[in-house]
Amino acid sequence: MTSKKEKKRTLLRVNILFVIVFLLFSTLIFRMGIVQIVYGEDYQKQISMTENITVNNPVPRGEIYDRYGRPIVSNLAVNTIIYTRDVNISNQKVLEVAKELAKLIHKETDRLTERDLKDYWILTRPEKAKKKLTAKELADKKLTNKELYQLQIKRIDPQTDLAEIDEAELEVAAIYREMAGGYTLTPQIVKNENVTMEELAVVSENLDLLPGVDVVTDWNREYPNGDIFRSVLGNITSSKEGLPADKLDYYLPRGYSRNDRVGKSQIELFYEDVLKGQKEKVQYKTNTAGNVVSNRVISEGKPGKDLVLTVDMELQKRVEEVLANELLEAKNNGGGPFLDRAFVVMMNPKTGEVLSLAGKKLEQKDGGWTVTDYALGTITSAYAVGSSVKGATVLTGYKTGAIKPGTSLLDEPLHIQSTPTKSSYTNMSLIDDLTALKMSSNVYMFKTAIKMMGTDYRPNMKLPQSTEVFKTFRYYFNQFGLGVKTGIDLPNEASGLLGDTSVQGKALDFAIGQFDTYTPIQLAQYISTIANDGKRVKPTIVREIREHSTDDELGPVYKSVEPVVLNQLDMEPAQIKRVQEGFRRVYQDGGTASAYFSVEPYRSYNLAGKTGTAESFYYDAVKKRIITDIPTYNLTLVGYAPFNDPEIAFSIVVPFTRTDSHPVNKKIGQGIMKAYYDLKNGVQVDPIQP
């Protein structure tokens, strides 16, 4: 009886279990039916859901040519090994590719930093890296992975831990550094310097073993003229530097990638928007696993536009030769301890086109002097320029009524209270304005300044206490471009330094160019304004912007740079003509420059302009003080030609000479004007022998 009861209970339990299993399976089948029939389409959409990622690929940068289409900056094609990181690839996988690539190429390790090596050490020695953390730190849920990582980095000992990395591993680390530094789906340069044909071939043969690695043609900037004009051309960042850290907020919203090469100085920086080109846009489609399933080009890339400069590179070369040789000659023949630089600016006074922008600086090396490029000093450094500005003083005197064309004044020593005796280099007796310019009378300018103060000169007089005369001088000098930025299309142009107007007698120094300081480019704009009948034209370094062409010829013109007149002198045309005549006499009629320019071939150039000498003191950059016990002189020369229809104007500045009698400024003037007319007339110009 007991056995039968047990069998019935067992059978009942089995039946109950069967019913439960049946119900569970029925429920499961029901749910599966709902999932497949009711929600199947929605789930299928989620499974096949993709994400679109747009990547901007760089294009070659625009090239730079001189005014005659001769290349100044070009792109040199270079073989390059790149790596494109996939979306979800781990650092460990990247390391594995780096190890394989290290077997095939040689990679310099000199750019590895201690931080790079620490990152590599943690990745390749995970157990040792883990031991850099305490059990308490590992268990602390408040510490993020980033904070734990920083603790590991801090505790790695360079002397012991990093010493484990051998020479072979260093190459792997260097390759990994380049590969890991890239952005998702963005090509990153692994090696583009000294890639051998053997490396190129072996990598190409093994691309199937190197996921993400490819061999492409990249470009580097090439300079056919070497160091000529280099400081003005500027530089671009390398792919390693990428975007400047302090300008990320500017570049990133404009579609740049962090590793893009951009202009970082001068022309390359100023015309970045033109030279950069239009990137190729590629859209990658990835699935939910992060794998790329397709890609397509949204917009084709377009190389940067080319620049055609106003500069004549053949003239630039010749001017730099003249400048270097005359500077060295002056240095070795009484130039003094502080003579170390000289500048030349040559421009068309009617259009503002800069034909040459040159500067040279002497540096001591191995017991001798080497000449380095300092063309940027023409726009960034300012000096007292002396009598060269007397044309502006005379015209200001005309405008204020202090003098009139033809006014005669007695050139004599001036005795003024609380002021040292002031005089010209020689007493010239009674002279008019033309003679004052021709012979560079200081006293004529002093008396003009005194008259601008509202009084006439009297022996032992006390000057009126007012700063208005300084304001008046600066107002009119600014119209010539003196003391204000010229507007040249280069960054970091200086405006010069203003002198202290608390001493009234300094207004007399202002009148002869020994107070405020001016840049060589300002001095060139000043003489151009007088040559151009009072029209101040904006200097320009770029003549045209052209579409890039793959042919040997320049592409079509995209934009021409037209002359920009900044202002017209607030003076009568007849007054400007009067100063022009005074400037002609300086060069051609017994004036202060005629001994050097009234002989052939210079006489035939029909020059006009002004000489200048300013007393100065040298600023010692090392000692950070002005050397007051050894006075120096700044020698200047401005001019234009031909007098009756100017096509070329120039300024020359040679600061810190020992004596005011050295003709280095005039010799430079002879050299650059001969170079200009020789090239214009097709005369073969042989290089100057140092």
Side-chain angles (χ1 to χ4, degrees):
M1 290 294 292
T2 303
S3 177
K4 288 181 178 180
K5 290 180 179 179
E6 287 295 328
K7 287 181 179 180
K8 287 182 178 180
R9 290 193 190 98
T10 302
L11 184 59
L12 181 61
R13 290 170 181 166
V14 171
N15 288 335
I16 293 172
L17 181 61
F18 175 77
V19 171
I20 293 172
V21 171
F22 174 78
L23 291 173
L24 289 174
F25 270 101
S26 298
T27 303
L28 180 61
I29 292 170
F30 179 73
R31 289 297 300 165
M32 289 177 64
I34 292 176
V35 168
Q36 291 184 7
I37 297 171
V38 179
Y39 299 111
E41 187 176 346
D42 292 338
Y43 287 129
Q44 185 61 42
K45 287 181 179 179
Q46 290 185 30
I47 291 172
S48 60
M49 186 179 292
T50 60
E51 180 182 1
N52 292 327
I53 300 174
T54 301
V55 175
N56 297 325
N57 292 328
V59 294
R61 197 168 176 83
E63 299 181 329
I64 303 175
Y65 300 85
D66 85 339
R67 66 187 295 110
Y68 298 115
R70 295 175 289 221
I72 302 177
V73 183
S74 54
N75 293 326
L76 176 67
V78 291
N79 293 320
T80 304
I81 298 170
I82 64 170
Y83 175 73
T84 305
R85 184 168 185 155
D86 212 343
V87 177
N88 286 334
I89 192 170
S90 66
N91 287 337
Q92 195 64 46
K93 289 290 186 182
V94 175
L95 178 63
E96 291 175 10
V97 177
K99 288 180 178 178
E100 292 301 316
L101 189 56
K103 298 175 184 177
L104 307 177
I105 68 172
H106 170 67
K107 177 70 175 176
E108 296 293 341
T109 61
D110 55 332
R111 290 175 177 166
L112 282 171
T113 65
E114 185 178 285
R115 178 56 183 268
D116 293 331
L117 293 175
K118 286 183 176 182
D119 287 335
Y120 177 81
W121 189 89
I122 290 175
L123 185 62
T124 55
R125 294 156 175 83
E127 291 303 319
K128 289 184 177 181
K130 188 175 181 180
K131 292 179 181 178
K132 295 294 181 182
L133 301 172
T134 66
K136 183 179 179 181
E137 289 168 341
L138 289 170
D140 190 347
K141 294 183 179 181
K142 293 182 180 180
L143 290 175
T144 64
N145 288 336
K146 183 177 181 180
E147 290 170 331
L148 292 173
Y149 173 75
Q150 293 298 332
L151 288 173
Q152 289 175 310
I153 289 290
K154 186 177 180 180
R155 292 167 185 172
I156 294 174
D157 186 351
Q159 303 301 320
T160 57
D161 296 325
L162 298 186
E164 299 173 1
I165 303 174
D166 58 24
E167 288 295 324
E169 277 193 291
L170 283 176
E171 281 203 58
V172 176
I175 293 173
Y176 172 77
R177 173 186 183 271
E178 307 299 346
M179 295 168 66
Y183 299 93
T184 299
L185 300 178
T186 301
Q188 182 77 2
I189 293 174
V190 176
K191 183 177 181 180
N192 67 346
E193 296 176 0
N194 304 317
V195 178
T196 66
M197 296 306 296
E198 290 76 13
E199 289 176 329
L200 208 63
V202 72
V203 171
S204 298
E205 291 171 2
N206 290 276
L207 289 179
D208 56 332
L209 303 175
L210 302 166
V213 175
D214 202 356
V215 174
V216 299
T217 299
D218 194 36
W219 54 269
N220 282 333
R221 281 311 220 191
E222 185 179 40
Y223 304 93
N225 300 292
D227 291 335
I228 301 293
F229 205 55
R230 275 291 288 113
S231 65
V232 178
L233 294 172
N235 294 301
I236 62 172
T237 60
S238 67
S239 57
K240 312 258 182 329
E241 293 175 285
L243 301 181
D246 60 341
K247 295 183 179 179
L248 290 178
D249 291 342
Y250 173 82
Y251 285 116
L252 292 178
R254 288 167 171 79
Y256 286 82
S257 300
R258 288 177 181 268
N259 61 343
D260 279 347
R261 287 170 282 185
V262 298
K264 62 180 180 181
S265 60
Q266 305 320 315
I267 292 176
E268 293 276 17
L269 171 61
F270 196 91
Y271 284 95
E272 169 63 25
D273 289 345
V274 174
L275 293 167
K276 69 175 182 179
Q278 180 180 316
K279 289 185 173 184
E280 177 190 59
K281 290 188 177 183
V282 180
Q283 187 179 76
Y284 291 88
K285 188 172 288 187
T286 62
N287 57 25
T288 52
N291 299 317
V292 176
V293 295
S294 66
N295 67 76
R296 68 185 182 93
V297 176
I298 299 176
S299 62
E300 296 287 345
K302 194 175 183 181
K305 293 180 176 62
D306 298 332
L307 297 180
V308 177
L309 303 188
T310 59
V311 173
D312 177 348
M313 281 304 289
E314 289 303 314
L315 178 62
Q316 179 73 21
K317 291 176 185 178
R318 182 67 175 177
V319 169
E320 290 197 20
E321 288 176 350
V322 170
L323 206 52
N325 282 277
E326 293 298 342
L327 182 58
L328 278 171
E329 192 278 335
K331 182 68 176 179
N332 295 324
N333 291 277
F338 302 129
L339 174 62
D340 66 348
R341 66 195 70 181
F343 307 97
V344 168
V345 178
M346 301 181 77
M347 62 187 286
N348 185 318
K350 296 179 181 179
T351 66
E353 292 185 344
V354 175
L355 301 180
S356 177
L357 200 65
K360 291 296 180 181
K361 196 171 185 179
L362 298 178
E363 294 181 357
Q364 205 156 21
K365 185 177 181 181
D366 300 328
W369 296 102
T370 59
V371 184
T372 60
D373 179 45
Y374 191 33
L376 280 184
T378 56
I379 66 168
T380 61
S381 60
Y383 308 91
V385 298
S387 299
S388 288
V389 302
K390 286 178 178 176
T393 300
V394 169
L395 282 166
T396 300
Y398 292 158
K399 182 62 182 179
T400 59
I403 57 173
K404 297 178 180 179
T407 294
S408 294
L409 298 172
L410 181 63
D411 186 300
E412 59 182 327
L414 302 187
H415 303 285
I416 300 170
Q417 291 184 27
S418 305
T419 301
T421 299
K422 289 186 170 294
S423 64
S424 302
Y425 61 91
T426 184
N427 293 336
M428 302 178 192
S429 301
L430 190 65
I431 58 174
D432 65 5
D433 48 339
L434 293 180
T435 303
L437 289 172
K438 168 183 168 181
M439 302 307 297
S440 198
S441 167
N442 284 346
V443 171
Y444 196 97
M445 308 304 151
F446 294 153
K447 288 187 173 181
T448 299
I450 293 171
K451 186 67 174 178
M452 287 170 57
M453 297 178 196
T455 186
D456 292 313
Y457 167 73
R458 302 181 308 278
N460 300 314
M461 70 179 296
K462 184 178 181 180
L463 294 176
Q465 294 301 308
S466 172
T467 60
E468 286 302 313
V469 65
F470 293 101
K471 294 178 182 178
T472 301
F473 265 130
R474 284 174 180 156
Y475 173 77
Y476 288 108
F477 272 46
N478 289 173
Q479 291 187 26
F480 295 90
L482 296 170
V484 293
K485 293 182 179 181
T486 64
I488 189 171
D489 46 339
L490 289 171
N492 306 316
E493 182 188 3
S495 57
L497 297 175
L498 304 181
D500 181 6
T501 59
S502 60
V503 179
Q504 187 67 6
K506 293 295 184 180
L508 308 188
D509 295 332
F510 195 117
I512 61 170
Q514 298 198 142
F515 191 59
D516 286 358
T517 64
Y518 310 116
T519 64
I521 188 70
Q522 289 175 343
L523 206 55
Q525 191 179 55
Y526 148 76
I527 190 63
S528 294
T529 302
I530 293 176
N532 196 29
D533 297 330
K535 295 183 181 68
R536 181 167 76 103
V537 181
K538 176 182 175 181
T540 181
I541 205 79
V542 170
R543 191 180 198 187
E544 293 173 338
I545 300 172
R546 288 181 174 257
E547 298 287 355
H548 183 73
S549 173
T550 55
D551 300 328
D552 292 336
E553 296 183 358
L554 291 172
V557 175
Y558 172 77
K559 180 182 179 182
S560 293
V561 178
E562 300 298 329
V564 177
V565 177
L566 299 175
N567 62 267
Q568 171 73 44
L569 291 182
D570 187 17
M571 286 102 181
E572 296 296 327
Q575 295 173 339
I576 298 172
K577 291 292 184 185
R578 182 81 175 177
V579 169
Q580 290 173 347
E581 172 58 23
F583 278 6
R584 186 196 67 78
R585 296 184 184 189
V586 170
Y587 274 82
Q588 301 183 37
D589 193 15
T592 53
S594 63
Y596 291 86
F597 294 95
S598 61
V599 295
E600 295 298 343
Y602 314 107
R603 186 179 192 83
S604 63
Y605 304 156
N606 194 13
L607 281 152
K610 189 73 184 72
T611 58
T613 304
E615 295 181 26
S616 180
F617 293 98
Y618 183 80
Y619 177 78
D620 192 315
V622 177
K623 298 179 180 178
K624 295 184 178 180
R625 67 181 182 88
I626 296 175
I627 309 299
T628 57
D629 55 334
I630 306 177
T632 61
Y633 298 90
N634 299 339
L635 305 182
T636 61
L637 183 69
V638 295
Y640 58 90
F643 169 71
N644 54 338
D645 187 18
E647 63 185 54
I648 185 71
F650 65 86
S651 69
I652 298 168
V653 180
V654 187
F656 313 135
T657 64
R658 170 180 284 174
T659 172
D660 60 348
S661 61
H662 200 292
V664 58
N665 54 336
K666 301 180 184 74
K667 286 187 175 181
I668 292 172
Q670 287 181 325
I672 65 173
M673 289 308 294
K674 186 175 188 303
Y676 174 80
Y677 277 103
D678 281 351
L679 289 169
K680 179 183 176 180
N681 298 327
V683 177
Q684 183 63 40
V685 179
D686 295 323
I688 298 175
Q689 298 302 318

